[in-house]
Amino acid sequence: MLKFLNFSIKFLIIFILTCLLFVFSTLWYFSIGLPDYKKLSNYQPPISSRVYSNDGKLIAEYALEKRLFIPYESIPDKVINSFLSAEDKNFFNHPGVDAKGILRAFIKNLKNISGNKRLEGASTITQQVAKNFLLTNEVSFKRKIKEAILAFRIERAYSKERILELYLNQIYLGQGTYGIAAASLEYFDKSVKDLTYVETALLAALPKAPSKYDPYRYPDVAKFRRNLVIKNLEDNGYINKKQLKIFKQTKITLKRRKIEIINEANSYTEEVRRSIKEKYGFKKLYSEGLSIRTPLNIDYQTNALESLRKGLELYDRRHGWRGAITNKLQDSNWQKKIEDFKIDPTLNWEIAEITNIDDNGFKFKTIKGLIENNISTQSLKWAIRNKQTIFDKFKVGDIIFVSNTNNKWSLKQYPKVNGGIVAIDVYTGDVKALVGGFNFKSSEFNRVTQAKRQPGSAFKPIVYAAALENGYSPNSIVLDAPFVESQGVGLKDWKPENYGKKFYGPSTLRKGIEYSRNLMTVRIAKTLGLDKILKLSNELDIYEDIPELLSVSLGAAETSLISLTAAYGSFANGGKKIKPNLITRIQDRRGKTIFNIKNKECLGCDKFLSQSEKYPKIKDSNNRIFSEETAYQMTSILEGAVKRGTAKKLRDLKVPVAGKTGTTNNNYDAWFIGFTSNLVIGVYVGFDNPRTLGKYETGSKAALPIFKDFIQNSLYKEDFKEFKIPNGIFLTSLNYDTGIKSTIGNKNTIIEALKGKDINNINNNKLISIGSYDKLIKYRQFY
């Protein structure tokens, strides 16, 4: 008996030692190559970056996952209690692995195996953190052992609160959401602090199988799983039996989160996205929670889009109806053709089928079948021309676009022409609005920033600014007559012409711009020297490397709309260069500013005391490109283009506005760039695959109306201030045709802006000059 007892003790000791050796060997084996759990210390979950307008409204969001981070101290007890009851009720008591839970799951799984049911797991929250952060989703015994080893290590390294914080911010909860903060918004449109136990129990029910228990798709199954969590809450003492009964009977009430993103700003925000991705990289933009502030004015942006679309549609209508998208009765593939059209929802267009036609118009029904109405022949005049009838142009079964404005339906046609519009603050360079095309959904190509086109006559003010900066004056006389330039041996002579192929003889420099005279412009460029013009265009960032050809003076070299528009801003701001900026500030997830636009400097702010009589001064840091006097003279001349010249369609606005049209050879491109005292707006119209816009489709006809519509709808009377006149400018009455001194009251007399040195050129014994600085008007007399 004693022998047997000794043998049993030895056997037990050997068995225990063998088991311990096996356990330690297993742990050692599976510990090799385990991920470093210490990286959890610096873990920062991927968070979406957001883009805001100048008044703080959300205009875009960029993310790989829907996630908002919430620190442990901000997580309500209801959320913690619900998740512990659903996933790991012994969380605050176990060392990472729950032995009781494993035993309980083992016994249950024996029953499940015999009943052919799904096996249950016994992973603690700590084990789930190990799996989600450090391991894969592989289902294997090997992974479970690694998971347990990591769980022990994590528990020794981190507090329970930190582990729970990681878990509740990382867990996937369906509908593309990660973490409780994002899920709370997605399912209830609430902050987590406002959730009830019924709602937190539903969220806690989701981690086991987010798709299976999706309350939007399977509300009954979700309710069953939620009630199990509620029962666990009562078992664990978090709620009482009365609450249990009430909560279990409560219906699931969902409210999907609504993010009101300004879709009209898609062109703008895409340009912002490209810029940040290029500067900071994909990862920083899509996962590091940047807060991006832009100078976008939402009203300007919406009006810019509407004005551009209106102008492009008017152009398209002038060139007639091109026909239906297809015909339902004749085309078996009609549905696919409809699907190919990517219509921007901001257009508010419907696809419709013509169901009946008579002399009074046609009836239609939308493809969705929700609307039936009619469009009268009277409103189809643009589509029915040249003695044609409605039956010549439309057929029953035609698939068309229609739109309802003020309860009146109209026929729509998708324009083949396209364009862009941009509005920039002339002092800061802030881009207030930017629209890169008619329909962002069908074409993300940005015709403001990416398209390079010939500006034509819109470049001429740069030539004339260079002339004014180098001794010319607005009343300088320039010959408007035939011009011939040799292009080299064997090459045909270059013979530029005016629009209309006329010559006007000796004319003032002012007339050359106001009436957009090509021959005068070329002569100025030839006499002045092309190098001075190209230098100025380089300094204004219009062009960089371009050939020294006289045709450049007529806008033959390509540039972008945003570059030329910014250059015009220098006329309005007194000769200083502005750099267009679409981003004013970027902050990281913790609110630290990592980018801030700096175009102003505060002089004396560091020394200012409230009792001091000296106030700080704000100085802009933009470089001066040409003198204030030259800038004002160009502004005055471009005001003249509005009063008398190619931009006179703006004259009826009766506000201080200046601008210049631009039309390229054969009317391939139409431009208009105009400005007020604080805003410069550029418009471009043309085909993506260059071709003529049509015989009479000039900048004045195709582009200027878009500019006019925009400022009429965006700016108020008080937004139009008189252009500031520098001290060095003197206003005098001159003859418009000859440039010599004239008397006020003569119908051919204008008020001309001259620099002080030009006064001696006026052969008259009396000159009344009005100069203005801010709102102070000084009268000076010269005898």
Side-chain angles (χ1 to χ4, degrees):
M1 187 68 182
L2 190 60
K3 254 184 179 181
F4 177 76
L5 186 62
N6 287 334
F7 174 79
S8 298
I9 292 171
K10 287 179 182 179
F11 177 80
L12 185 61
I13 292 170
I14 291 170
F15 178 74
I16 292 171
L17 289 173
T18 303
C19 288
L20 287 172
L21 181 63
F22 175 77
V23 170
F24 281 116
S25 298
T26 302
L27 290 175
W28 177 81
Y29 173 77
F30 285 106
S31 294
I32 297 172
L34 277 181
D36 183 7
Y37 64 90
K38 293 179 181 177
K39 70 180 185 181
L40 295 178
S41 300
N42 300 318
Y43 172 72
Q44 290 185 323
I47 303 176
S48 59
S49 292
R50 294 178 149 201
V51 185
Y52 299 93
S53 63
N54 66 346
D55 59 353
K57 290 184 179 175
L58 181 66
I59 57 175
E61 195 170 27
Y62 302 112
L64 299 175
E65 302 170 351
K66 293 179 187 175
R67 188 198 306 274
L68 296 169
F69 182 79
I70 180 170
Y72 179 82
E73 54 270 19
S74 298
I75 301 173
D77 289 341
K78 288 178 184 177
V79 173
I80 294 172
N81 296 340
S82 295
F83 275 87
L84 293 184
S85 297
E87 296 292 318
D88 188 358
K89 68 176 183 178
N90 297 319
F91 173 72
F92 281 101
N93 300 316
H94 64 64
V97 175
D98 186 2
K100 291 181 182 177
I102 292 173
L103 182 61
R104 185 173 60 252
F106 178 74
I107 295 169
K108 269 195 172 183
N109 283 335
L110 289 176
K111 295 178 182 178
N112 289 340
I113 290 170
S114 61
N116 201 25
K117 294 180 180 178
R118 184 177 180 273
L119 300 181
E120 289 187 11
S123 291
T124 63
I125 282 177
T126 314
Q127 285 176 276
Q128 291 184 58
V129 167
K131 183 190 74 171
N132 292 336
F133 285 89
L134 304 171
L135 298 172
T136 65
N137 287 322
E138 174 194 3
V139 179
S140 68
F141 182 67
K142 181 180 177 181
R143 197 215 74 200
K144 292 297 288 184
I145 293 175
K146 287 184 175 182
E147 189 180 282
I149 295 170
L150 283 169
F152 282 122
R153 292 181 177 180
I154 290 170
E155 287 275 351
R156 288 201 307 270
Y158 303 104
S159 67
K160 290 285 188 179
E161 289 76 13
R162 173 61 175 164
I163 294 168
L164 199 54
E165 178 185 78
L166 290 170
Y167 172 76
L168 291 175
N169 280 288
Q170 179 69 14
I171 193 72
Y172 180 64
L173 294 169
Q175 293 291 320
T177 62
Y178 291 80
I180 54 169
S184 176
L185 291 170
E186 186 66 26
Y187 291 107
F188 309 112
D189 196 21
K190 287 182 178 180
S191 168
V192 288
K193 65 182 176 61
D194 299 321
L195 295 177
T196 65
Y197 259 128
V198 172
E199 292 163 339
T200 59
L202 178 60
L203 294 184
L206 295 172
K208 186 174 284 293
S211 297
K212 180 181 177 180
Y213 299 120
D214 185 341
Y216 284 113
R217 298 173 65 194
Y218 310 112
D220 293 336
V221 179
K223 184 178 180 182
F224 174 78
R225 172 68 182 158
R226 180 205 69 180
N227 287 351
L228 290 178
V229 177
I230 291 173
K231 179 66 172 67
N232 289 347
L233 281 166
E234 192 270 334
D235 290 344
N236 297 329
Y238 295 123
I239 60 173
N240 57 43
K241 288 190 179 294
K242 183 180 178 182
Q243 289 175 308
L244 170 66
K245 185 177 179 181
I246 295 170
F247 292 166
K248 287 180 74 173
Q249 292 174 350
T250 304
K251 290 182 179 180
I252 291 178
T253 304
L254 302 172
K255 183 182 179 184
R256 194 181 291 274
R257 179 190 183 197
K258 286 186 179 180
I259 303 176
E260 294 186 4
I261 290 179
I262 311 299
N263 287 315
E264 287 85 352
N266 284 337
S267 290
Y268 195 110
T269 54
E270 174 58 17
E271 197 62 29
V272 170
R273 187 197 69 82
R274 269 198 297 262
S275 173
I276 294 177
K277 181 172 172 284
E278 185 178 316
K279 185 173 183 179
Y280 296 104
F282 180 89
K283 182 176 179 292
K284 200 169 190 73
L285 174 62
Y286 281 89
S287 63
E288 295 195 11
L290 300 178
S291 175
I292 304 150
R293 182 60 68 98
T294 73
L296 174 82
N297 181 304
I298 291 176
D299 289 337
Y300 284 7
Q301 180 69 21
T302 304
N303 291 334
L305 180 60
E306 290 176 358
S307 297
L308 179 67
R309 284 176 171 170
K310 180 180 177 181
L312 296 179
E313 284 190 74
L314 285 173
Y315 166 88
D316 197 57
R317 287 188 171 205
R318 288 198 293 271
H319 295 269
W321 173 247
R322 294 190 301 275
I325 302 169
T326 186
N327 187 284
K328 182 178 177 180
L329 304 179
Q330 299 173 5
D331 186 357
S332 59
N333 204 29
W334 66 274
Q335 285 181 311
K336 187 177 184 309
K337 287 187 177 178
I338 290 174
E339 290 168 3
D340 289 341
F341 276 94
K342 296 177 182 178
I343 300 299
D344 195 313
T346 59
L347 278 167
N348 296 317
W349 287 10
E350 297 278 355
I351 298 175
E353 174 194 351
I354 295 178
T355 55
N356 185 56
I357 305 174
D358 59 34
D359 290 332
N360 296 319
F362 62 69
K363 292 183 179 179
F364 68 86
K365 67 175 181 180
T366 58
I367 294 301
K368 295 176 183 176
L370 301 175
I371 300 167
E372 290 189 48
N373 218 300
N374 64 283
I375 296 176
S376 68
T377 306
Q378 185 69 21
S379 64
L380 295 171
K381 285 184 177 180
W382 68 271
I384 305 169
R385 300 179 179 183
N386 302 326
K387 299 182 180 179
Q388 293 175 326
T389 68
I390 190 171
F391 302 99
D392 296 324
K393 287 291 187 178
F394 302 97
K395 292 181 175 59
V396 171
D398 277 355
I399 304 297
I400 57 173
F401 290 119
V402 294
S403 179
N404 186 1
T405 306
N406 298 324
N407 293 321
K408 183 178 180 182
W409 288 92
S410 59
L411 175 69
K412 291 292 182 180
Q413 178 170 255
Y414 192 89
K416 287 188 175 181
V417 73
N418 224 309
I421 179 171
V422 62
I424 305 173
D425 185 297
V426 301
Y427 293 101
T428 63
D430 287 347
V431 178
K432 297 294 187 179
L434 183 152
V435 181
F438 183 85
N439 180 2
F440 182 81
K441 290 292 182 184
S442 64
S443 172
E444 294 184 10
F445 182 66
N446 196 317
R447 293 153 192 88
V448 173
T449 60
Q450 293 175 304
K452 296 289 180 107
R453 290 299 185 87
Q454 295 179 350
S457 300
F459 180 72
K460 288 176 183 174
I462 309 303
V463 177
Y464 284 73
L468 292 171
E469 193 72 350
N470 286 276
Y472 284 73
S473 64
N475 64 330
S476 295
I477 300 298
V478 182
L479 182 63
D480 187 341
F483 182 93
V484 180
E485 177 79 0
S486 173
Q487 300 191 87
V489 178
L491 297 175
K492 191 176 180 181
D493 290 343
W494 182 54
K495 300 177 182 178
E497 296 176 328
N498 287 327
Y499 184 80
K501 300 184 179 181
K502 293 181 180 179
F503 311 108
Y504 299 92
S507 304
T508 59
L509 181 141
R510 172 182 281 275
K511 271 193 171 183
I513 279 283
E514 290 186 1
Y515 293 99
S516 199
R517 305 273 176 79
N518 289 341
L519 296 170
M520 290 177 65
T521 306
V522 170
R523 272 196 169 80
I524 290 171
K526 179 75 173 177
T527 306
L528 180 64
L530 204 57
D531 58 323
K532 293 184 176 67
I533 296 166
L534 298 184
K535 180 176 179 290
L536 181 58
S537 68
N538 286 339
E539 289 174 343
L540 290 169
D541 288 341
I542 301 170
Y543 299 132
E544 291 178 5
D545 298 321
I546 53 173
E548 291 194 22
L549 299 174
L550 273 177
S551 58
V552 170
S553 66
L554 299 181
E558 295 179 341
T559 188
S560 66
L561 177 62
I562 196 167
S563 296
L564 192 57
T565 304
Y568 270 61
S570 299
F571 299 140
N573 70 22
K576 293 192 173 183
K577 176 182 177 178
I578 57 171
K579 187 175 181 179
N581 60 78
L582 289 88
I583 303 167
T584 52
R585 187 182 65 190
I586 303 175
Q587 293 174 296
D588 65 15
R589 69 172 74 204
R590 301 191 182 280
K592 180 183 176 183
T593 299
I594 60 175
F595 171 81
N596 201 2
I597 194 73
K598 292 182 179 178
N599 49 28
K600 284 186 171 62
E601 182 184 357
C602 183
L603 302 178
C605 285
D606 55 334
K607 300 176 182 177
F608 177 66
L609 298 173
S610 58
Q611 295 84 6
S612 175
E613 293 182 1
K614 290 186 177 180
Y615 290 95
K617 292 183 179 179
I618 302 297
K619 178 186 176 184
D620 71 67
S621 55
N622 296 326
N623 295 327
R624 178 167 298 285
I625 304 300
F626 42 79
S627 68
E628 283 186 280
E629 292 76 20
T630 292
Y632 181 76
Q633 285 182 319
M634 278 309 310
T635 297
S636 173
I637 292 171
L638 293 173
E639 276 191 287
V642 171
K643 293 173 183 175
R644 296 173 289 271
T646 55
K648 62 185 177 185
K649 288 180 181 177
L650 299 175
R651 189 166 51 191
D652 61 344
L653 294 176
K654 297 179 181 178
V655 292
V657 63
K660 179 73 184 74
T661 56
T663 312
T664 58
N665 285 343
N666 300 316
N667 295 4
Y668 269 47
D669 305 288
W671 299 63
F672 185 79
I673 303 177
F675 54 92
T676 66
S677 59
N678 52 26
L679 195 68
V680 58
I681 302 112
V683 178
Y684 162 78
V685 175
F687 290 99
D688 287 343
N689 296 314
R691 61 185 175 91
T692 182
L693 290 166
K695 187 176 180 181
Y696 301 108
E697 298 291 351
T698 62
S700 176
K701 189 171 185 179
L704 182 146
I706 297 171
F707 170 91
K708 185 176 184 179
D709 189 76
F710 172 75
I711 64 170
Q712 282 179 314
N713 290 296
S714 301
L715 304 182
Y716 297 95
K717 202 80 172 178
E718 53 269 26
D719 293 324
F720 294 93
K721 303 285 196 311
E722 293 291 341
F723 293 104
K724 178 181 171 181
I725 306 173
N727 273 347
I729 283 291
F730 301 88
L731 302 181
T732 186
S733 54
L734 298 181
N735 184 283
Y736 182 56
D737 294 324
T738 64
I740 63 173
K741 192 74 179 93
S742 179
T743 56
I744 295 175
N746 188 309
K747 67 176 184 177
N748 219 24
T749 295
I750 62 166
I751 302 299
E752 188 57 273
L754 298 176
K755 297 174 183 176
K757 64 183 182 59
D758 297 322
I759 295 300
N760 296 328
N761 297 329
I762 305 300
N763 298 318
N764 197 305
N765 63 351
K766 185 176 182 181
L767 170 66
I768 298 179
S769 175
I770 304 174
S772 136
Y773 185 78
D774 290 332
K775 293 186 177 179
L776 179 65
I777 298 177
K778 299 177 181 177
Y779 291 87
R780 305 174 188 172
Q781 286 193 328
F782 295 82
Y783 294 93

